[in-house]
């Protein structure tokens, strides 16, 4: 070993497996099945200079599709300057890219068809654009983030949200909102909206505590997870736990193709665009907006809210 970094272990394991298989993808597949925990690994080999192989478990990885070039990154912001076309790679999957080809398999070696999506913002959205700071710029973008989160979801005086099973939601008896930091604060505001309009009791909990207290959940419990990136590890693990014990899950997320959205039964995307500032501004505002939309929608399907309510709110 030449470093004190634990991930160097993976490099040595891949080198040994490659010596046995002479195939970089199969070498990485042999290694990831021996590893525990959370990781995203990217490997290259001097004998195959035009190939990059990546694997993910409980950690973000996304594929960018270009012309004569392909990309791997933890977030679409890494390659948005070059392409808006992307593929979402799922949990326990391996991707192999060359300049002209992308292939994905799971950790057992079975072929996978990744889900394509298009990034709706461009590289200029991640620059300051003349503002003194990203925080000042993103505060100025809050009205647009609210408008974009609402846009297309109010039709004929009613809230419409894709991917929801209205009949199932009508039977929800309890809601738990999960988030970390800013996302949890937005959940506290959303609690007021949901309880007011839908008349369903709501608890707001920090994601990192949720699994460890063995909560009582069932098919009539809706777990709403909130994350700007959709890759917040504590929130992801809490949602997986909720699904395993039978709760319905819904995510409020800003990033298309994020793991959280794929792990949830349904998703409300906030469409706030990239947030660079450390202090959350437009992401928080958009998350609160999504919480209000959820409260109105639940009130609708339960017969407690009608078009006149939305009109009174200026929607």
């Amino acid at each position: 070993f030449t470093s004190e970094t634990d991930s160097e272990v993976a490099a040595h394991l891949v080198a040994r497996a490659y010596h046995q298989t002479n195939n970089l993808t199969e070498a990485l597949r042999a290694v990831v099945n021996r590893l525990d925990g959370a990781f995203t690994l990217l490997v290259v080999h001097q004998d195959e200079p035009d190939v990059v192989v990546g694997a993910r478990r409980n950690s973000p990885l996304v594929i960018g599709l270009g012309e004569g070039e392909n990309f791997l990154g933890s977030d679409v912001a890494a390659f948005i300057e070059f392409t808006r076309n992307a593929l979402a790679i799922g949990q326990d999957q391996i991707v192999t890219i060359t300049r002209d080809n992308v292939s994905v398999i799971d950790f057992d070696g079975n072929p996978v068809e990744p889900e394509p999506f298009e990034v709706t913002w461009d590289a200029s959205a991640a620059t300051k654009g003349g503002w003194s700071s990203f925080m000042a710029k993103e505060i100025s973008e809050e009205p647009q983030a609210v408008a974009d989160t609402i846009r297309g979801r109010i039709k004929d005086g009613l809230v419409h949200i894709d991917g929801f099973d209205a009949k199932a939601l009508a039977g929800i008896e309890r809601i738990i909102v999960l988030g970390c930091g800013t996302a949890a604060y937005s959940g506290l505001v959303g609690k007021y909206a949901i309880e007011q309009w839908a008349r369903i009791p709501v608890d707001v909990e920090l994601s990192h505590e949720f699994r460890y207290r063995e909560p009582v959940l069932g098919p009539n419990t809706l777990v709403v997870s909130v994350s700007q990136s959709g890759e917040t590890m504590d929130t992801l693990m809490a949602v997986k736990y909720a699904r395993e014990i039978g709760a319905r899950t819904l995510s409020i997320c800003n990033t298309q193709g994020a793991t959280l959205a794929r792990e949830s039964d349904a998703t409300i995307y906030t469409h706030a665009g990239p947030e660079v500032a450390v202090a959350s501004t437009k992401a928080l505002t958009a998350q609160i907006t999504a919480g209000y939309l959820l409260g109105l929608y639940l009130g609708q399907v339960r017969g407690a809210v009608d078009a006149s309510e939305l009109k009174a709110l200026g929607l």
Side-chain angles (χ1 to χ4, degrees):
F1 288 86
T2 60
S3 76
E4 296 182 358
T5 305
D6 58 358
S7 55
E8 187 181 345
V9 173
H12 286 288
L13 290 173
V14 172
R16 180 177 296 178
Y18 184 82
H19 180 72
Q20 296 170 343
T21 65
N22 208 35
N23 181 295
L24 197 56
T25 302
E26 284 302 307
L28 183 58
R29 188 171 78 85
V31 171
V32 294
N33 280 304
R34 300 179 62 186
L35 303 179
D36 292 323
F39 56 82
T40 292
L41 297 174
L42 302 184
V43 299
V44 295
H45 197 289
Q46 63 182 0
D47 292 347
E48 300 184 48
D50 296 324
V51 177
V52 182
V53 183
R56 70 167 294 256
R57 169 177 286 169
N58 299 325
S59 194
L61 181 62
V62 64
I63 307 164
L65 302 176
E67 295 184 6
E69 56 184 2
N70 293 303
F71 306 87
L72 294 176
S74 60
D75 187 271
V76 295
F79 50 72
I80 191 60
E81 179 181 354
F82 306 101
T83 181
R84 294 190 186 185
N85 298 315
L87 295 173
I89 179 172
Q91 174 79 330
D92 286 359
Q93 292 182 359
I94 298 171
V95 55
T96 303
I97 67 168
T98 64
R99 296 180 188 275
D100 303 306
N101 186 60
V102 173
S103 61
V104 181
I105 59 174
D106 61 23
F107 280 11
D108 293 325
N110 302 308
V112 175
E113 287 293 332
E115 178 185 349
F117 64 94
E118 182 178 358
V119 183
T120 56
W121 48 273
D122 57 27
S124 64
T127 62
K128 284 192 288 188
W131 290 89
S132 60
S133 67
F134 277 109
M135 186 170 178
K137 174 177 181 284
E138 289 163 8
I139 289 173
S140 75
E141 293 172 342
E142 288 185 39
Q144 187 63 48
V146 170
D148 288 344
T149 300
I150 295 173
R151 181 172 290 112
R153 289 174 169 152
I154 308 292
K155 302 174 184 176
D156 302 321
L158 296 174
V159 178
H160 294 265
I161 301 177
D162 294 336
F164 282 79
D165 183 342
K167 291 182 179 179
L169 291 179
I172 293 297
E173 298 174 353
R174 178 182 175 220
I175 294 175
I176 299 176
V177 180
L178 299 174
C180 295
T182 299
Y185 294 141
S186 75
L188 290 170
V189 182
K191 169 185 170 75
Y192 281 78
I194 295 169
E195 290 190 340
Q196 177 183 345
W197 290 317
R199 309 309 299 167
I200 304 173
V202 180
D203 295 317
V204 181
E205 300 193 29
L206 295 173
S207 303
H208 60 273
E209 297 290 340
F210 183 67
R211 290 175 289 155
Y212 303 108
R213 67 174 187 82
E214 299 184 4
V216 178
L217 305 174
N220 293 327
T221 303
L222 176 65
V223 173
V224 179
S225 55
V226 186
S227 170
Q228 192 273 345
S229 67
E231 303 293 348
T232 308
M233 186 54 56
D234 287 321
T235 304
L236 280 170
M237 299 308 292
V239 170
K240 290 180 67 175
Y241 176 84
R243 292 192 68 181
E244 287 171 0
I245 59 177
R248 299 182 183 275
T249 58
L250 179 152
S251 63
I252 294 175
C253 177
N254 186 50
T255 306
Q256 290 174 291
T259 306
L260 184 63
R262 297 198 301 275
E263 292 286 343
S264 303
D265 297 325
T267 301
I268 301 176
Y269 285 109
T270 53
H271 303 300
E275 186 177 59
V276 181
V278 174
S280 183
T281 56
K282 62 179 180 176
L284 171 64
T285 308
Q287 287 167 356
I288 291 171
T289 303
Y292 273 53
L293 286 172
L294 176 59
L296 288 166
Y297 183 82
L298 289 170
Q300 240 174 236
V301 300
R302 294 167 66 86
V305 172
D306 58 22
S308 63
E309 186 92 31
L310 271 69
K311 187 175 182 180
L313 292 169
L315 299 175

